[in-house]
Amino acid sequence: MRLSTPRDRAYRPLTALLTALAAILGILAALLATTGTAQADTLICEQFGSTTIQGKYVVQNNRWGTSEQQCVNATNSGFQLTTANGSVPTNGAPKSYPSVFNGCHYTNCSPGTNLPAQISKISSAPTSISYGFVSNAVYNASFDIWVDPTPKKDGVNATEIMIWLNRVGSIQPIGSPVGNVSVGGRTWELWSGNNGGNEVLSFVAPSAVSSYSFDVMDFVRQTISRGKAQNSWYLTSIQAGFEPWQNGAGLAVNNFSSAVNLGGGDDGGTTPPPPGGCDVTYATQNWTDGFTANVTVKNGGGSAINNWQLAFTLPSGQRITNVWNGTVSPSSGAVTARGQSYNANLAAGASTSFGFQGTYSGGFSKPSSFSLNGTACRVL
C-alpha cells in the first residue's frame, strides 16, 4: 500500500474542482441542447417584411394601405399585431392584411408548399385557425383564398375567396349580398363583387367565430358551382389574418395549420358533373356513441361522370371506422368519398351507393352540404 504524500493531498482539491466544473459544463450543454430548438419570436415592422414559422408557413406584415407604422410579432404557431397605427375610411379598402399563409404571395412562396396546384388534382385542403380578438378596433378576421386559371405565383389572381370569421365596425365585403349558403358545416351570408379586375366571393359569418377547422375545397367547390372558377384552375395560396381599418393592436392568430392533399390523374383524372348537377341522399341510424350512414349519389346531368368524388364535412366529434362500396378519407373532418373500380363511373341519370360506420361524441347531426367533383349537390 502506498501512503499519500503532501503532493497527492495538494492535488485532491484541484481534482475535485475540475470534476465539479466538468459536471456544470455538462448541465449547461444539456440545457442549450434542450432550448436550442425553440424558435424565438420575430418582430416585423417593415412594410412588406416577412418571416417563416414551423418551417412551412410565411408570416407577413403586408401593410399596403397606409404609411403609419404597423408591426407583427411572429411566434412559432402564428402572430400578434403589436403596433397598428392610423386609420382609413370604413367605406373603402382596409389599411393592411397582416397574415400567415401556405402557398405563394407576390413570388414569396412558403417553404415546401405544393401550391399552386390544379384544383381537379386536390382531394382536400384541411386547415384550422384559432384567433385572439380585440374590441377597440375596426377590422375583420378572415381567410383569403386565391384561385387563377394559371399556376400564378405573382400578382393578383382572377378570383379571391374570402371567409369573414369576425366583423367589427361598419365595414362590409366587396360587392353586395346575394343570399345565404351552407358550406363547411356553417351558414354564411354570401357577398359577390368585383375588385376592379378580379372576382371576389365573400362568406360572412353572422357572429364571431374564434376557432374553425374546415376543408378549403368546400369553399372552392362552392365558388366553382357559382361560375367564379373552374376545376382546371389552380389554387395558389391559403392565407389567414386580419384586415384592420382602425387600430388593431393586440389582434392575434394563436394557431394556424394548412395542408393540401393531392389526388387524381395526371390530367385531373375526374370529369366535372354536367349542368344537371347531382342529388345526395344521406340516411343514418345512430345509437349512444355510434352510427351508420348510407349515401346515395345521383348524376342528374346528361353525360357520364368519370371517377366521381363526393366531398363533405363530418360534424365535430364524428369518426369513420368502416366503409363499404367505396373509400372515404380521412376518417374525420373534411372528407372525400370515392367509388371502387366497379362503381367509379356514373352514367347520365345513374345512381350509386356507399356507406360507412362510425363513432361520435356529443350530439349527433348530419353533414350540411355535399359537392360532387367540385359542384354543389342537392340534399334530398
Side-chain angles (χ1 to χ4, degrees), residues 49 54 56 89 95 97 107 114 134 148 167 182 194 207 229 240 245 287 316 337 365:
Q54 301 181 38
K56 55 185 176 181
K95 57 181 179 175
Y97 185 55
T107 71
N114 52 6
V134 298
D148 194 80
R167 171 170 51 170
S182 294
N194 187 285
S207 59
W245 275 258
W287 51 97
S316 177
S365 59

Side-chain angles (χ1 to χ4, degrees), residues 77-93:
S77 58
F79 69 88
Q80 184 177 44
L81 193 56
T82 59
T83 304
N85 295 337
S87 64
V88 294
T90 56
N91 61 350

Side-chain angles (χ1 to χ4, degrees), residues 195-206:
N195 194 22
N198 64 291
E199 296 291 325
V200 183
L201 206 59
S202 300
F203 299 81
V204 182

Side-chain angles (χ1 to χ4, degrees), residues 30 48 56 85 309 319:
F48 298 111
K56 55 185 176 181
N85 295 337
Q309 298 182 14
R319 178 173 295 274

Side-chain angles (χ1 to χ4, degrees), residues 1 78 84 90 94 97 108 113 119 145 148 194 211 227 237 240 244 260 262 266 292 295 297 303 312 325 330 335 337:
M1 180 177 70
T90 56
Y97 185 55
N108 186 5
T113 186
I119 292 171
I145 300 159
D148 194 80
N194 187 285
S211 63
S237 68
V260 176
L262 302 180
D266 292 338
T292 60
V295 188
V297 186
S303 59
F312 56 99
N325 290 338
V335 303

